Amino acid sequence: MLKHILLIQSDMQGAIDTASAAAAEAPAKLSVLHMALNGGWVMLVLALLLILALYVSIERYLTLNRALKDDSSNFMDNIRQYIHQGNIDGARQLAKATDSPIARMIDKGLSRLGRPLPDIQTAIENVGKLEVANLEKGVSLVATVASLGPMLGFLGTVTGMVKAFFDMANAGNNIEIATLSSGIYEAMTTTVGGLIVGIIAYFLYNILVSRINKVVFLLEARSMEFMDLLHEPA
């Protein structure tokens, strides 16, 4: 009986030793975190740029959405009603109380009533341009990140290859794969990181540009609607 127990223990110990040896010989798995930590200082810069692009994109996207949603109210209908009633002060009060690019544009037009219609239209268009410029703040930064990301990745590639050749030169005749692997690994990692940051930033930039174009179209439509309203008979 004791002999069987010792035999079983010996088999179990052998299985454990075999499993341990297999685990020790198993190749290490490559993870995104491992790549980021071994990519050098360029990966840190790329991470900061990505965070900046995400922050600006989210903030601008929410702002543009608010500018578009403000049109869902009955703002223009109320303005039309006030103008037909001759209550210009009431129309201006409504425009000032509504925090939206359209309201500020219409308020400027209301403040110019009594002047020639081309002057009113010019004033409205100038306010519209200012509102679009305010909505575009930070969007160029996202575009810069989209262009700068791959360039920084390429810079990391060059510095990594320089490091690899430097290690190779110092190794003399005892060149091994491990001597070159560190620099080459850093070079390839920064290339991947730069492309990822560039692709994400470019995607976010196109989304923001699309939303801005919708706001511009909306401002143009509301300015034309306001000018048509001034042409309507009292």
Side-chain angles (χ1 to χ4, degrees):
M1 183 66 179
L2 181 60
K3 182 179 179 180
H4 287 294
I5 293 175
L6 294 175
L7 183 60
I8 293 174
Q9 289 180 345
S10 177
D11 292 340
M12 292 178 61
Q13 185 64 39
I16 293 173
D17 293 340
T18 302
S20 300
E25 295 176 358
K29 293 184 178 180
L30 185 63
S31 64
V32 176
L33 180 61
H34 186 269
M35 291 175 61
L37 293 176
N38 290 274
W41 62 271
V42 175
M43 294 299 291
L44 177 60
V45 178
L46 289 173
L48 294 176
L49 289 177
L50 179 59
I51 293 173
L52 180 61
L54 289 173
Y55 173 79
V56 173
S57 299
I58 293 173
E59 189 273 332
R60 286 292 89 190
Y61 186 82
L62 295 176
T63 301
L64 292 168
N65 271 356
R66 286 195 296 270
L68 291 172
K69 288 181 179 179
D70 287 335
D71 186 59
S72 60
S73 64
N74 296 323
F75 175 75
M76 289 303 299
D77 292 336
N78 293 331
I79 292 293
R80 179 180 288 103
Q81 184 177 358
Y82 278 122
I83 292 178
H84 285 169
Q85 293 173 355
N87 188 4
I88 305 302
D89 292 336
R92 291 205 65 185
Q93 290 178 2
L94 175 62
K96 290 181 180 298
T98 306
D99 184 17
S100 71
I102 295 174
R104 288 186 284 272
M105 186 177 65
I106 298 301
D107 180 59
K108 177 60 69 174
L110 291 171
S111 67
R112 294 293 190 270
L113 288 181
R115 297 187 180 184
L117 292 179
D119 293 345
I120 298 176
Q121 185 172 2
T122 301
I124 292 176
E125 290 176 352
N126 289 336
V127 174
K129 292 178 181 178
L130 291 175
E131 292 295 331
V132 172
N134 289 330
L135 293 174
E136 289 178 339
K137 285 182 178 179
V139 177
S140 59
L141 181 60
V142 180
T144 301
V145 173
S147 302
L148 192 59
M151 294 176 64
L152 280 174
F154 180 69
L155 175 63
T157 301
V158 174
T159 57
M161 295 304 297
V162 169
K163 179 181 177 182
F165 282 108
F166 178 79
D167 293 339
M168 184 173 62
N170 289 334
N173 295 327
N174 299 322
I175 298 177
E176 297 179 356
I177 296 298
T179 305
L180 304 176
S181 61
S182 177
I184 297 176
Y185 180 75
E186 179 180 331
M188 297 298 100
T189 300
T190 54
T191 301
V192 174
L195 289 174
I196 291 175
V197 171
I199 290 171
I200 294 176
Y202 185 70
F203 176 73
L204 295 174
Y205 172 74
N206 282 326
I207 291 178
L208 294 178
V209 169
S210 175
R211 305 299 288 182
I212 290 173
N213 289 337
K214 289 183 179 180
V215 174
V216 171
F217 175 79
L218 186 60
L219 291 175
E220 292 176 351
R222 293 297 170 262
S223 65
M224 293 177 60
E225 184 178 350
F226 180 74
M227 295 305 299
D228 291 340
L229 175 61
L230 298 182
H231 286 86
E232 293 180 0

